[in-house]
Amino acid sequence: MLQPKRVKYRRPHGLKYDRPAHKGNSVDFGEYGLQATQGDYVTDHQIEAARIVLARYTDRAGKIWIRIFPHMAKTKKPAEVRMGSGKGNPEGWVAVVHEGTMLFEIGGIADNLCIEALHQAGFKLPVNTKVVKRTKALTEAEKLKMEAQHESSLDAIKAEDALEKTTISDTGNETPAEGAAPAEGAAPAAAAPAEAAKPAKEGEKK
C-alpha cells in the first residue's frame, strides 16, 4: 500500500479537510479527472482499490495519474485503555482531501471508457465525486504521447495473451510411467544396484 518513506513526526496533529481546495483542483495531465465534491480522509487502501478498478476497467491501457498521496498517519489507542497517557500508535495512512481536490486523472483511451472507469472508481472512495473534462486544450505532442502509450499497452497485452504456457519440469525426480522413455538428461533408472545385489543373494543361498 501507499505510504511515505519517512516522516518528520511519527504521530502528527490531525489536518482539517473542511475547506475548499486552492490547488490541485484542475485536470492538468490527462483528458478526464475524478474530482471530490466534499472533504474527508481517504485511506491508502481506498486509493489502491480505486486504482485497481481503473486499471482493470481500461484493460491496463491508456495512462492513469493518481493525484493524491496518503502523507498523514492516523493514530488509534488500544481497546479498554484509560484516557490520557499520550497519543495512540499509528494505525494507517490517509490523504487529506478537500472539496474540489482532483483525485485521479485518465487519458489515452476513448472518452466513454474514461468517463465510465472514473465513475466506477468513485464507488470505492468515501467522498462524493464527479467526472470533469480537461478545460485546457492538449497539445499535439501530449496527444501523440498518450496514443503511443495506449498502443504500447495494447501490444503488451496481446503479447501476454499470445504466450503459450506449458509446464516443464527439469528436476529429474519424476517417476516415468512403465514402458516410457526416460527424460533427456535424467539419470538411468536405479536398476543397476538391484541387479548387482542379486548375485550376492545367490551366494548367500549357496
Side-chain angles (χ1 to χ4, degrees):
M1 295 299 165
L2 295 175
Q3 67 179 40
K5 291 183 179 179
R6 62 181 299 273
V7 291
K8 186 174 182 180
Y9 301 108
R10 181 169 172 264
R11 296 179 289 189
H13 290 176
L15 299 177
K16 295 182 179 180
Y17 53 77
D18 53 352
R19 65 169 177 81
H22 300 297
K23 56 183 179 180
N25 53 3
S26 60
V27 183
D28 297 328
F29 301 97
E31 298 174 281
Y32 289 87
L34 188 66
Q35 189 176 32
T37 58
Q38 66 179 109
D40 203 346
Y41 294 130
V42 180
T43 67
D44 53 344
H45 295 278
Q46 292 165 343
I47 296 173
E48 179 66 14
R51 186 200 65 81
I52 291 173
V53 169
L54 291 175
R56 289 182 176 174
Y57 198 86
T58 59
D59 289 333
R60 295 172 293 173
K63 178 70 175 176
I64 298 171
W65 289 268
I66 303 175
R67 295 290 306 274
I68 56 176
F69 188 86
H71 289 285
M72 192 178 75
K74 288 294 289 182
T75 61
K76 184 179 180 181
K77 302 193 76 172
E80 301 181 3
V81 173
R82 294 182 179 182
M83 295 180 65
S85 302
K87 195 172 175 66
N89 296 323
E91 292 290 332
W93 301 89
V94 298
V96 183
V97 173
H98 303 281
E99 180 184 352
T101 300
M102 195 62 58
L103 307 174
F104 295 90
E105 293 184 23
I106 192 172
I109 57 177
D111 293 348
N112 58 339
L113 288 178
C114 289
I115 295 172
E116 185 61 25
L118 291 172
H119 180 70
Q120 295 296 329
F123 292 120
K124 299 295 183 181
L125 301 174
V127 296
N128 295 332
T129 58
K130 64 179 180 180
V131 179
V132 296
K133 188 176 181 179
R134 185 187 182 102
T135 55
K136 182 182 176 182
L138 290 170
T139 63
E140 291 298 327
E142 291 174 336
K143 290 182 179 179
L144 292 175
K145 185 178 180 180
M146 286 186 184
E147 291 176 0
Q149 291 173 341
H150 176 56
E151 294 297 332
S152 61
S153 300
L154 290 180
D155 293 340
I157 293 171
K158 290 179 181 177
E160 184 178 350
D161 294 338
L163 290 176
E164 295 182 1
K165 298 179 181 179
T166 57
T167 302
I168 300 176
S169 177
D170 57 354
T171 59
N173 296 328
E174 290 75 13
T175 304
E178 295 183 1
E184 295 183 1
E195 293 176 357
K198 285 183 180 179
K201 288 183 180 179
E202 292 177 359
E204 290 175 2
K205 290 180 181 180
K206 292 179 180 180

